[in-house]
Amino acid sequence: MATAEVAFPEGKPARTRVLGAWWSTAVGLAGTGIVVAAEAERTSAGREVFWNEVPGWLAYTLMSALVGLLVYGLVRHASIWMLGKPTPGILADWPNRLRNATRFGLTQDKLRRDRYAGIMHWCILSSIVMLTFVTAQVAIDDDLQLHFLTGNYYLFYSFYGDLFGLIGLVGVGMALYRRYFDNYHRIRWDERVEDHLIIWGLGVVLLSGFFVETFRILATELEQHPDWATWSFVSAGMALFFSVFEMTEPQMLFAHYWSWITHIVIAFGWLGLIVFTKLDHLLFAPVNAFFLRTDAPGRLNAIPNIEEREVFGVGQIQDFTWKQLFELDACVRCGRCTNVCPANLAGQPLSPMHLIQDLKRHLADVGPELQRVGHAGGDVRAVSPVAMVGEVIQDETLWACRTCGACVQECPVLIEHVPTIVDMRRYLVLDEARIPATAQQALENMEMRGHPWRGTAFERTTWMEGLGDVPLFDGSQEYLYWVGCSGSLVERNLPITRSVFRLLREAGASFGVLGQEETCNGDPARRLGNEYLYQILAQQLIETFKSKGVQRVITNCPHCFNTFKNEYPQFGGHFEVLHHTEFLAQAVQQRTLIPKFPIATNTVTYHDSCYLGRLNGVYDAPREILAVLPGAQMREMQRSKSAGLCCGAGGGNMWQEELGERRVNHVRTEEATTTGATGLVSNCPFCIQMFEDGIPAIQPDEESRMRAFDVAELLEQAVLGPDAAKA
Amino acid sequence: MHFVVCAKQIPDPETPPSAFRVNEQTNEVIPAQGIAPVLSQFDAIAAEAALRIKEAGSDVKITVVSMGKESAAAAIKQVLAMGADEGLLLDDDAFQGGDWNGTVKVLSAAIQKLGNVDAVFCGRQAADWDMGQTGVGIAETLGWQAAIIAKDVKVEGDKMVVQRVLPDGFQTVKLPLPSVVTVSNELGEPRYPKLAQIMQAAKKTVTKWSAADLGLDAGAVGASGAQLKLERLFIPQAGGNVIIIEGETPQEQAQNLVNALQADKVL
Ligand SMILES: Cc1cc2nc3c(=O)[nH]c(=O)nc-3n(C[C@H](O)[C@H](O)[C@H](O)COP(=O)(O)OP(=O)(O)OC[C@H]3O[C@@H](n4cnc5c(N)ncnc54)[C@H](O)[C@@H]3O)c2cc1C
Ligand code: SF4
Ligand code: SF4
């Protein structure tokens, strides 16, 4: 069942603001048009379009060449993408897809997550769109002999032509500043000649356009029709400047002629870059947005008929789907993904941008040969001289990923790194059985013991001790309280489980637990790439749920939450799932839980776990609870909500040794300590463990150090009193 | 060549202490609820040793043999998934309740019946009873040589070259084939099977032999053939006494600790 959300759930629909930028532009222009039109006296303004005998044929020749080039480039690209596997059903849900293409292609919803880039890119794009429109009108006006560029409309046309030329130059200026003066900005992490070419090329196109106008105005309007000229406010200003030099008419004509030639040649040349450079994102980004998944972002795809396959993961480039190959070509090397990647921030061997670029280069290297051998009926698996997984992309790189989705969240061209990474992990685990030792132990433990916690001294029922009557779920209760492996088998998480339990009981919820009958739901196996084990565990548990009559589940853990909610429907398990913070926030709102005792921790900061926050959009419920805790003051971290940083444990990294300069949990804990809060609150058993480890490393002094809590622990203190947990 | 890997299924050694119970009247371990038995870890390592030789290029068939109940087929499948070729389960009520003498008789009879076996790989000890007797017992019964606690095993010509772990170092020994080797964890982690192998293993059938198949007299094996008597099975009471060593400075604390240890004759 697809969730209603398209792409990543945001806290608030911020795209309205961007739409607003477009609308205000449109309304502003329309307004100006009306002002012009309302001028009582209808002017006879107008101009001859291909004035000064400029070679109009040149424009058309170049345009034909460009169209030819574009078609050639696209066909060549497309034939390579088609090396990938088919994606059945990708056109279903097309209304949402169209919405995505508009939202991310037209309104540039992702870009504005970096405000500077958002403005810059809007300036450039709107200028290109509007000036293309301006130019098209010239062509139509002349070739179809319509001559509508006259009178008031001509003045208005002159005005917005200049306006968007100027806007474009502002954008180019901002881009140049970033590229040359912003110290080692992310856009320079993988800088190439084409990057300079694109931005300077555009600058020259815009400037030469102004020069064309300038010299035309100088020759035909500045003195003759100064009231017309002022509508072209930029060019007229420039013309005024050039009038100082008292050019002769032939000089003006000469300058105009050559500005025009330069403008036309460079403009078409620049557009030709679409075929050869990252400028192709002009076409690919909106198309990729159209093909963006429209189901839950926290869901990984299932390998269908896993028992009947020969290759399980993606070990060679042609094992990807065509959509995954297409994506590689859309990347603009902006570095946004790498900039937010927790592994990269900690100096670990993963940069999602380089991963995408390495795959892209590999595709370019082996694609044509794959095509040739494929057509000749040869063995395509023998084509690549290097191992894609292992050599092009190192094993460590794949293992360092937290599946946190931050990269996907930021990518302006909607590349989905996580499925691509997990597909390669699947190859490592299922096809090659090449796994870091500690991760292997966790997987073996799930196989043998139904949980990933090797060596635990606890039983699934240990947390119940001293809680009195703990009801077992028998189908008569409304909710199943799902404790999870971490909630019952890891020492630090037992008190959290107890807190949730006491709060559920206090709120009068009708619920039961499974106790010994809980088994791992398979999430760690799936994230670690063992889809086979995941499917076995998931199917078993779905059967258990169905046989017990489970309909609604409250989970301790965001990973269980995501799995039940987004992934079990793939196997016919449809349950209504709440994370405990959601249930507790409701209970507080309905006054079945009343926070009345002041809590001991007076300042708190809240860490959004990736699987509750970014991947499922639950940002508010935990914050609502923290807001009503008597005596607690909230201090947000710089990175929060959809921009939150992973604690480091995701993607099976809970069970791996970290390679690199720092540990991710230390990086995140450090960010938390800079808020000065005394409590670091989260909602996830993994996050809590990571912080319990990270806090002493960042704050060695035991007396003054920050403490890690689950939301439920603090709420319990406030509802049941500070000593409830000890009872 | 034909290798046999002896694999035992045991109660999970990672059973949480609170779930581990014994019946002190009958001297039996009470199986923990909901905790499935597992392959003894040393046996997975023994299989790894055999598989490494196979992978190094020798033409080897590996048969995995387990004496146990029907459930032990899972342990056999696990070794098959790692890459062993055939599985053999020795299952008979008559085998129940025996000591290592019985186990050795049953396994040896099976190895003899298989015929043409060049080497037997056992774990250094089964991780439940930890006797460490079975491997050498088989060698004794068959009149073969044995090398125990190996960290590396190779075949060179018609000899087996075994690196053994000693308390104070390593020892390399050469044995004639056929021989028995018991393998220790120093050999390294057993491999994680590829999914294709798991699927292949799932399709393989495990042969089952009973006491009659092996030509064994039911009275000579299992409880009735046992020579070892288990006197008492109990869980020891673990106790601890914590003394906090006081002191103004770390140096003083260290000194007080040394004093206390000397007073207790630990130092
Ligand atoms: C009173 C008593 C009652 C017992 N009752 C039973 C019982 O009912 N059922 C039961 O299964 N055990 C029972 N045992 C344990 C059984 O006796 C042991 O299997 C035997 O003593 C071997 O010792 P060990 O398991 O420590 O193996 P070790 O000698 O430590 O094992 C070394 C290696 O030998 C191989 N090996 C050992 N056992 C087997 C096997 N069964 N199949 C294949 N390979 C093997 C493995 O490679 C292992 O790594 C009982 C023991 C006693 C003392
Ligand atoms: S999912 Fe997270 S950890 Fe993985 S590449 Fe993306 S940002 Fe990095
Ligand atoms: S993958 Fe996306 S975010 Fe990363 S560099 Fe490429 S375009 Fe930018």
Side-chain angles (χ1 to χ4, degrees):
Chain A
M1 190 182 68
T3 57
E5 275 299 342
V6 179
F8 276 81
E10 302 277 350
K12 297 265 181 312
R15 66 175 172 280
T16 45
R17 262 187 283 153
V18 182
L19 271 177
W22 284 103
W23 284 121
S24 46
T25 315
V27 170
L29 276 181
T32 319
I34 291 165
V35 171
V36 180
E39 272 186 32
E41 189 191 351
R42 211 183 135 75
T43 68
S44 57
R47 63 159 155 134
E48 194 185 327
V49 171
F50 286 122
W51 169 80
N52 187 19
E53 302 285 312
V54 289
W57 58 266
L58 179 63
Y60 291 107
T61 313
L62 288 173
M63 193 161 84
S64 321
L66 176 69
V67 171
L69 199 63
L70 282 179
V71 170
Y72 158 78
L74 275 178
V75 169
R76 199 191 50 162
H77 268 308
S79 69
I80 297 274
W81 300 328
M82 287 310 145
L83 286 169
K85 300 272 169 290
T87 49
I90 198 167
L91 291 180
D93 203 17
W94 59 268
N96 269 333
R97 294 183 180 280
L98 278 181
R99 213 174 70 152
N100 278 350
T102 327
R103 172 174 169 194
F104 300 114
L106 192 61
T107 72
Q108 321 250 298
D109 221 10
K110 292 277 179 193
L111 265 151
R112 8 147 249 110
R113 291 177 67 86
D114 171 347
R115 180 181 293 245
Y116 185 97
I119 295 172
M120 175 204 90
H121 198 271
W122 178 83
C123 287
I124 291 179
L125 178 70
S126 60
S127 149
I128 293 174
V129 171
M130 291 304 287
L131 293 181
T132 306
F133 180 53
V134 163
T135 312
Q137 289 180 71
V138 174
I140 295 168
D141 183 88
D142 187 60
D143 293 329
L144 304 182
Q145 300 290 321
L146 294 177
H147 301 301
F148 58 88
L149 291 179
T150 54
N152 282 355
Y153 182 70
Y154 169 66
L155 297 181
F156 176 46
Y157 166 89
S158 304
F159 167 73
Y160 70 72
D162 264 36
L163 177 66
F164 279 93
L166 184 64
I167 288 177
L169 279 177
V170 169
V172 169
M174 290 175 80
L176 288 173
Y177 178 81
R178 251 203 180 168
R179 191 156 288 286
Y180 299 111
F181 298 100
D182 223 343
N183 234 343
Y184 202 53
H185 191 268
R186 58 176 165 75
I187 58 169
R188 301 179 58 195
W189 290 344
D190 185 2
E191 194 167 53
R192 310 206 183 147
V193 175
E194 62 178 62
D195 300 337
H196 307 280
L197 214 58
I198 290 171
I199 196 63
W200 284 106
L202 182 60
V204 173
V205 171
L206 293 171
L207 272 179
S208 58
F210 273 123
F211 277 111
V212 175
E213 268 292 273
T214 301
F215 292 116
R216 188 187 59 75
I217 290 174
L218 196 58
T220 64
E221 279 182 13
L222 198 61
E223 283 173 13
Q224 299 85 330
H225 301 285
D227 53 328
W228 300 357
T230 43
W231 287 98
S232 306
F233 62 105
V234 179
S235 321
M238 286 167 67
L240 209 58
F241 171 76
F242 276 99
S243 66
V244 178
F245 302 111
E246 302 196 338
M247 294 162 83
T248 62
E249 175 141 2
Q251 279 173 338
M252 291 178 201
L253 293 184
F254 180 85
H256 174 264
Y257 185 86
W258 285 106
S259 307
W260 190 89
I261 299 275
T262 314
H263 180 66
I264 289 294
V265 171
I266 305 228
F268 281 109
W270 188 82
L271 287 172
L273 292 178
I274 292 179
V275 180
F276 304 106
T277 69
K278 68 173 188 184
L279 196 56
D280 55 14
H281 77 278
L282 212 87
L283 305 174
F284 297 164
V287 177
N288 202 36
F290 179 83
F291 288 121
L292 177 70
R293 62 178 333 156
T294 53
D295 58 0
R299 169 188 297 181
L300 290 172
N301 71 312
I303 302 180
N305 305 325
I306 193 162
E307 311 219 331
E308 286 145 37
R309 298 172 71 98
E310 275 165 26
V311 183
F312 306 99
V314 169
Q316 298 202 346
I317 196 89
Q318 72 275 12
D319 298 336
F320 284 120
T321 65
W322 68 264
K323 194 282 190 173
Q324 284 171 304
L325 299 184
F326 170 71
E327 246 171 28
L328 304 177
D329 276 330
C331 173
V332 291
R333 287 178 284 108
C334 68
R336 285 166 191 248
C337 50
T338 293
N339 199 31
V340 295
C341 173
N344 180 67
L345 284 169
Q348 298 179 5
L350 164 63
S351 155
M353 169 173 77
H354 290 97
L355 179 127
I356 295 294
Q357 285 297 322
D358 290 347
L359 289 176
K360 177 175 172 171
R361 197 171 310 119
H362 179 62
L363 176 63
D365 287 347
V366 299
E369 182 66 6
L370 278 173
Q371 266 179 320
R372 202 187 57 72
V373 173
H375 287 156
D379 178 12
V380 284
R381 301 206 80 77
V383 165
S384 178
V386 290
M388 183 180 78
V389 178
E391 291 180 276
V392 177
I393 306 294
Q394 311 273 306
D395 292 11
E396 310 83 273
T397 299
L398 298 173
W399 292 118
C401 176
R402 270 62 180 184
T403 66
C404 71
C407 49
V408 185
Q409 168 80 62
E410 295 305 324
C411 181
V413 301
L414 292 311
I415 290 172
E416 298 174 82
H417 314 66
V418 177
T420 292
I421 291 174
V422 172
D423 280 344
M424 289 188 280
R425 274 192 184 181
R426 286 174 175 177
Y427 174 75
L428 279 177
V429 176
L430 300 176
D431 296 278
E432 291 291 299
R434 225 157 67 212
I435 316 170
T438 44
Q440 175 176 331
Q441 286 177 359
L443 287 174
E444 284 169 348
N445 217 65
M446 277 179 265
E447 269 163 50
M448 295 200 289
R449 309 190 171 96
H451 67 79
W453 296 111
R454 182 144 191 223
T456 179
F458 299 98
E459 290 183 77
R460 296 225 183 236
T461 48
T462 309
W463 65 270
M464 300 177 185
E465 283 161 19
L467 284 175
D469 182 28
V470 177
L472 288 179
F473 186 87
D474 57 13
S476 68
Q477 301 98 332
E478 184 179 3
Y479 292 103
L480 166 69
Y481 170 37
W482 176 262
V483 174
C485 306
S486 303
S488 59
L489 302 175
V490 177
E491 187 168 15
R492 170 61 186 95
N493 298 318
L494 265 56
I496 301 173
T497 304
R498 291 190 230 260
S499 294
V500 176
F501 174 83
R502 287 197 201 90
L503 287 169
L504 291 178
R505 189 164 60 185
E506 174 72 14
S510 153
F511 72 103
V513 301
L514 284 186
Q516 289 289 16
E517 285 186 85
E518 277 198 9
T519 52
C520 180
N521 61 48
D523 162 80
R526 189 169 233 199
R527 264 67 210 166
L528 281 170
N530 195 336
E531 176 69 11
Y532 179 67
L533 178 58
Y534 166 75
Q535 291 192 7
I536 292 175
L537 293 171
Q539 275 154 0
Q540 270 172 10
L541 193 54
I542 290 171
E543 279 319 304
T544 308
F545 277 13
K546 284 185 177 167
S547 69
K548 301 233 169 232
V550 173
Q551 285 176 338
R552 296 172 153 189
V553 188
I554 299 171
T555 73
N556 253 359
C557 167
H559 296 264
C560 301
F561 171 77
N562 180 67
T563 302
F564 294 154
K565 184 173 168 174
N566 297 323
E567 299 192 330
Y568 274 19
Q570 290 170 319
F571 304 95
H574 299 275
F575 310 103
E576 197 184 306
V577 191
L578 291 177
H579 183 257
H580 70 257
T581 55
E582 292 180 295
F583 182 88
L584 296 176
Q586 270 173 28
V588 169
Q589 210 173 34
Q590 291 160 1
R591 311 283 298 156
T592 50
L593 290 178
I594 300 170
K596 46 186 179 285
F597 299 94
I599 63 165
T601 316
N602 46 18
T603 46
V604 294
T605 187
Y606 176 71
H607 166 85
D608 290 279
S609 67
C610 306
Y611 275 75
L612 190 63
R614 185 157 41 238
L615 296 171
N616 284 292
V618 181
Y619 300 116
D620 297 336
R623 286 182 172 78
E624 282 163 16
I625 297 175
L626 295 177
V628 296
L629 296 181
Q633 211 199 357
M634 175 75 169
R635 293 195 189 156
E636 286 285 2
M637 278 187 264
Q638 193 132 45
R639 296 180 208 262
S640 66
K641 300 199 174 171
S642 70
L645 179 68
C646 176
C647 68
N653 271 264
M654 187 79 232
W655 299 279
Q656 289 184 52
E657 305 285 347
E658 284 174 90
L659 302 171
E661 288 159 28
R662 297 190 70 189
R663 300 190 55 188
V664 172
N665 59 339
H666 293 184
V667 175
R668 184 53 166 170
T669 308
E670 198 168 69
E671 294 189 351
T673 55
T674 58
T675 62
T678 52
L680 169 49
V681 189
S682 189
N683 51 57
C684 168
F686 297 117
C687 298
I688 301 279
Q689 287 179 69
M690 286 320 235
F691 296 140
E692 289 291 354
D693 171 85
I695 294 171
I698 302 299
Q699 296 181 323
D701 180 27
E702 205 173 336
E703 298 295 306
S704 62
R705 82 170 53 132
M706 162 187 254
R707 290 189 53 203
F709 297 102
D710 187 277
V711 176
E713 289 179 297
L714 292 186
L715 181 63
E716 186 193 18
Q717 285 179 21
V719 171
L720 300 173
D723 297 325
K726 293 183 201 121
Chain B
M1 276 188 293
H2 186 186
F3 291 170
V4 164
V5 173
C6 296
K8 185 184 183 188
Q9 193 182 43
I10 59 170
D12 190 348
E14 289 201 13
T15 303
S18 56
F20 184 75
R21 291 186 192 90
V22 297
N23 183 336
E24 297 195 15
Q25 265 70 52
T26 59
N27 280 347
E28 276 170 356
V29 176
I30 303 169
Q33 271 264 303
I35 298 179
V38 300
L39 169 67
S40 177
Q41 180 69 2
F42 292 115
D43 301 355
I45 299 170
E48 176 67 32
L51 285 163
R52 285 187 192 173
I53 296 171
K54 180 173 181 165
E55 261 174 7
S58 308
D59 179 20
V60 180
K61 180 173 106 173
I62 298 176
T63 304
V64 46
V65 180
S66 185
M67 185 192 88
K69 295 186 202 152
E70 190 65 46
S71 69
I76 294 177
K77 291 270 174 172
Q78 200 175 327
V79 182
L80 287 174
M82 286 173 72
D85 302 287
E86 283 174 16
L88 174 59
L89 176 64
L90 311 172
D91 180 14
D92 196 312
D93 287 344
F95 301 156
Q96 291 297 312
D99 63 2
W100 64 267
N101 292 295
T103 308
V104 164
K105 273 185 200 149
V106 174
L107 289 174
S108 302
I111 292 163
Q112 262 168 339
K113 181 166 174 177
L114 282 169
N116 295 326
V117 173
D118 297 283
V120 173
F121 291 75
C122 290
R124 63 177 283 175
Q125 66 205 63
D128 53 350
W129 292 92
D130 293 312
M131 299 262 182
Q133 296 295 329
T134 308
V136 279
I138 293 171
E140 178 73 22
T141 310
L142 299 175
W144 297 357
Q145 303 267 2
I148 61 163
I149 319 194
K151 77 180 275 271
D152 187 50
V153 189
K154 286 197 173 65
V155 172
E156 286 176 7
D158 58 352
K159 294 260 184 312
M160 184 147 78
V161 182
V162 179
Q163 210 176 28
R164 298 186 50 228
V165 183
L166 302 181
D168 54 354
F170 304 116
Q171 180 190 45
T172 305
V173 294
K174 262 190 188 176
L175 315 173
L177 292 177
S179 284
V180 177
V181 58
T182 76
V183 185
S184 185
N185 48 309
E186 283 86 351
L187 184 111
E189 285 286 315
R191 69 197 51 205
Y192 192 74
K194 298 177 184 178
L195 181 50
Q197 292 176 306
I198 297 176
M199 307 259 193
Q200 275 167 14
K203 290 193 196 110
K204 283 186 182 160
T205 46
V206 173
T207 316
K208 237 193 306 184
W209 287 348
S210 63
D213 292 326
L214 293 172
L216 286 172
D217 172 11
V221 292
S224 35
Q227 297 171 19
L228 207 71
K229 186 168 181 305
L230 182 63
E231 287 287 344
R232 189 178 164 212
L233 187 67
F234 66 101
I235 297 173
Q237 288 299 320
N241 196 4
V242 179
I243 305 166
I244 306 283
I245 305 287
E246 306 281 349
E248 292 292 314
T249 63
Q251 284 81 356
E252 201 182 310
Q253 284 172 338
Q255 188 56 53
N256 289 345
L257 174 61
V258 171
N259 293 347
L261 289 173
Q262 275 170 343
D264 276 0
K265 302 219 159 41
V266 181
L267 290 180

